[in-house]
């Protein structure tokens, strides 16, 4: 089976991990710091904090921004459930913004309208979490401008977008946001096995995230209540978590980071081949990457169901039968039972519903060969004819 996504592990990656195993530190040690510095430098952000998963990074981001009961957080319904769950972990209320039918990111028009209504009802969100779907940035400049007008904070869910750019800045620069998070899951742009990153240019947000990463415990006397009892002493001053990442994982992430630009280049190549070869088929291919800024974590086609004799499910099953590991990204979050039980109705976000009924994710990953792409295009053409 050709999978939809797959990590690319080199001998250097393996060597980097083995070196840590032979060292004194296997949980959080010097390599975590090295990895954080390298990521901050790559993204041109002030602070990078490595944690145990992208989900943990989202949770810490919400906590650092002070999200809690009585707050509302908005995100895209076209995302992995974690983008919404992070708000729920904090006791906040979640709501969604419908997607743009061309980019599949949150619709700026829908966002503006929703903000206007929310202002009238005095229910403005505390935080908005734009998701850079498939590795294409949202319109961050406009979202930032709206955040100034309506007074909300911004967490970029860039789990798909490490290595991508927006307006010639690296995604993760946080130029138009308070915090950006990345995921290091094996399907994502680079991997640490599991892992996540939280980036910010704000020193107090960084400090807060660091504190919460390790139980809310500090050894810094200036943060303590009262006197230190001695060298062994620490204080818990917040309710935090164990969201640490290990040096073993950080070594893999750091080694992978060295190949990130190569990874992105190959993904852009694959997307360009697909865009060209699928041109004549009854489907909408992703938008062309005019300025080579997308990271191309996913390659999603939308079938023109009125022009083909099969349903989406039939096309999907047929591709799987031919050993092509297609996938669907995403089942809209608001129709998950956990969310419908909160009262969300499918039809509240019609663009994402229409998108979902026609979407198929084709395989895209660094080691996908040109022959495999030809095979996928060939089978898809047959199935759609
Ligand atoms: C993968 C993903 C996450 C969660 O990342 P993990 O590292 O798996 O916890 C969050 N948001 C989006 C959009 C993702 O794709």
């Amino acid at each position: 089976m050709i999978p939809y996504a797959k990590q690319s592990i080199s001998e250097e990656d393996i060597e980097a991990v083995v070196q840590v195993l032979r060292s004194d530190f296997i949980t959080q040690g010097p390599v975590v710091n090295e990895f954080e510095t390298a990521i901050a430098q790559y993204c041109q952000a002030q602070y990078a904090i490595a944690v145990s998963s992208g989900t943990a990074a989202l949770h810490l981001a919400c906590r650092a921004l002070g999200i809690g009961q009585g707050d509302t957080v908005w995100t895209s319904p076209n995302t992995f459930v974690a983008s919404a769950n992070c708000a729920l972990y904090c006791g906040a209320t979640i709501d969604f913004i419908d997607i743009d039918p061309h980019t599949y990111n949150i619709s700026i028009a829908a966002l503006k309208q929703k903000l206007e209504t929310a202002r009238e009802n005095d229910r403005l969100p505390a935080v908005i979490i734009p998701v850079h779907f498939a590795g294409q940035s949202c319109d961050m400049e406009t979202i930032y401008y709206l955040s100034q007008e309506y007074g909300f904070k911004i967490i970029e869910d860039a789990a798909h977008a490490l290595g991508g750019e927006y307006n010639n800045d690296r995604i993760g620069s946080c130029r138009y946001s308070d915090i950006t998070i990345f995921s290091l899951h094996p399907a994502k742009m680079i991997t640490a096995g599991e892992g996540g990153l939280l980036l910010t240019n704000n020193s107090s947000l960084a400090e807060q995230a660091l504190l919460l990463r390790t139980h809310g415990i500090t050894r810094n006397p200036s943060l303590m209540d009262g006197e230190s009892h001695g060298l062994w002493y620490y204080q818990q001053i917040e309710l935090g978590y164990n969201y640490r990442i290990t040096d073993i994982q950080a070594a893999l992430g750091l080694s992978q980071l060295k190949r990130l630009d190569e990874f992105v280049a190959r993904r852009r190549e694959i997307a360009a081949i697909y865009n060209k070869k699928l041109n004549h088929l009854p489907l909408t291919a992703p938008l062309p990457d005019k300025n080579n800024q997308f990271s191309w974590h996913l390659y999603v086609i939308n079938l023109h169901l009125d022009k083909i004799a099969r349903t989406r499910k039939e096309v999907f099953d047929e591709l799987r039968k031919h050993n092509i590991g297609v996938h669907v990204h995403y089942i809209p979050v608001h129709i998950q039972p956990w969310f419908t039980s909160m009262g969300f109705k499918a039809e509240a976000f019609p663009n994402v519903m229409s998108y979902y009924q026609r979407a198929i994710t084709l395989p895209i990953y660094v080691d996908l060969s040109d022959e495999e792409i030809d095979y996928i295009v060939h089978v898809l053409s047959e199935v759609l004819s």
Side-chain angles (χ1 to χ4, degrees):
M1 181 82 81
I2 303 171
Y4 87 90
K6 191 177 179 213
Q7 70 277 11
S8 172
I9 302 292
S10 67
E11 283 307 314
E12 286 76 18
D13 291 340
I14 294 167
E15 188 46 45
V17 171
V18 169
Q19 238 177 31
V20 167
L21 288 172
R22 294 189 199 283
S23 78
D24 290 338
F25 297 92
I26 56 172
T27 185
Q28 194 176 300
V31 186
V32 171
N33 287 331
E34 229 184 296
F35 183 40
E36 291 173 334
T37 304
I39 286 282
Q41 199 163 32
Y42 182 88
C43 295
Q44 295 291 298
Q46 287 287 315
Y47 308 96
I49 295 162
V51 294
S52 52
S53 69
T55 304
L58 281 167
H59 187 194
L60 290 188
C62 286
R63 281 289 316 270
L65 287 169
I67 291 305
Q69 234 165 23
D71 290 322
T72 302
V73 174
W74 294 357
T75 189
S76 173
N78 186 32
T79 186
F80 185 57
V81 292
S83 315
N85 287 342
C86 56
L88 302 180
Y89 295 157
C90 301
T93 303
I94 191 78
D95 201 354
F96 302 94
I97 308 146
D98 206 357
I99 62 167
D100 177 285
H102 305 293
T103 63
Y104 315 141
N105 280 330
I106 55 171
S107 152
I108 295 296
L111 173 60
K112 284 180 176 167
Q113 199 171 27
K114 200 175 174 85
L115 284 167
E116 231 0 83
T117 311
R119 176 146 70 186
E120 282 159 22
N121 301 333
D122 202 16
R123 300 187 68 161
L124 282 168
V127 169
I128 293 187
I129 307 180
V131 180
H132 303 318
F133 180 73
Q136 176 184 8
S137 179
C138 295
D139 178 359
M140 291 311 301
E141 214 174 334
T142 305
I143 296 170
Y144 177 76
Y145 164 78
L146 291 169
S147 77
Q148 299 300 297
E149 186 176 342
Y150 291 91
F152 57 83
K153 303 283 186 196
I154 303 172
I155 301 169
E156 293 176 71
D157 183 340
H160 298 182
L162 183 57
E165 293 176 13
Y166 171 71
N167 279 359
N168 300 312
D169 287 320
R170 283 260 163 76
I171 290 179
S173 76
C174 299
R175 180 188 285 263
Y176 298 110
S177 64
D178 297 279
I179 294 174
T180 300
I181 74 93
F182 296 114
S183 164
L184 302 169
H185 179 277
K188 306 291 165 69
M189 298 301 297
I190 64 169
T191 190
E194 292 275 3
L197 293 156
L198 182 157
L199 281 76
T200 183
N201 293 322
N202 180 315
S203 60
S204 58
L205 291 178
E207 260 169 47
Q208 194 62 12
L210 274 177
L211 185 67
L212 295 170
R213 176 174 70 178
T214 302
H215 308 280
I217 281 174
T218 185
R219 290 174 186 278
N220 177 354
S222 73
L223 295 176
M224 288 182 187
D225 183 14
E227 290 294 300
S228 167
H229 299 182
L231 286 175
W232 67 89
Y233 195 60
Y234 57 81
Q235 277 186 355
Q236 185 192 338
I237 57 172
E238 283 279 356
L239 182 58
Y241 315 91
N242 179 354
Y243 279 169
R244 287 188 303 271
I245 192 168
T246 66
D247 260 31
I248 305 169
Q249 292 164 295
L252 180 53
L254 184 61
S255 178
Q256 290 250 301
L257 180 60
K258 296 188 181 121
R259 292 196 295 149
L260 175 56
D261 289 343
E262 228 176 276
F263 286 180
V264 174
R266 176 58 186 157
R267 285 172 176 276
R268 285 181 183 153
E269 229 169 61
I270 295 169
I273 299 173
Y274 272 140
N275 272 7
K276 189 156 141 242
K277 296 198 169 180
L278 300 177
N279 196 21
H280 63 288
L281 294 180
L283 55 83
T284 302
L287 288 181
D289 186 3
K290 282 196 218 98
N291 302 315
N292 271 342
Q293 300 223 318
F294 302 179
S295 66
W296 291 107
H297 163 57
L298 299 174
Y299 188 93
V300 176
I301 56 169
N302 244 237
L303 301 177
H304 296 173
L305 291 173
D306 51 337
K307 297 201 190 87
I308 56 181
R310 289 185 153 107
T311 65
R312 189 269 302 270
K313 183 172 182 302
E314 283 164 354
V315 173
F316 186 100
D317 291 347
E318 204 57 40
L319 291 165
R320 280 277 177 98
K321 248 185 249 162
H322 285 84
N323 289 322
I324 301 169
V326 282
H327 220 284
V328 173
H329 295 90
Y330 285 94
I331 304 158
V333 177
H334 74 290
I335 66 167
Q336 294 289 355
W338 188 261
F339 292 84
T340 53
S341 75
M342 290 175 204
F344 287 107
K345 299 271 186 287
E347 60 275 16
F349 307 102
N351 290 352
V352 76
M353 292 308 294
S354 150
Y355 159 83
Y356 169 60
Q357 280 144 20
R358 298 177 293 129
I360 294 182
T361 306
L362 299 184
I364 188 167
Y365 52 90
V366 175
D367 297 328
L368 186 68
S369 70
D370 287 4
E371 293 70 37
E372 286 168 325
I373 301 170
D374 280 343
Y375 172 73
I376 293 162
V377 170
H378 171 75
V379 173
L380 185 61
S381 311
E382 296 279 298
V383 174
L384 295 182
S385 68

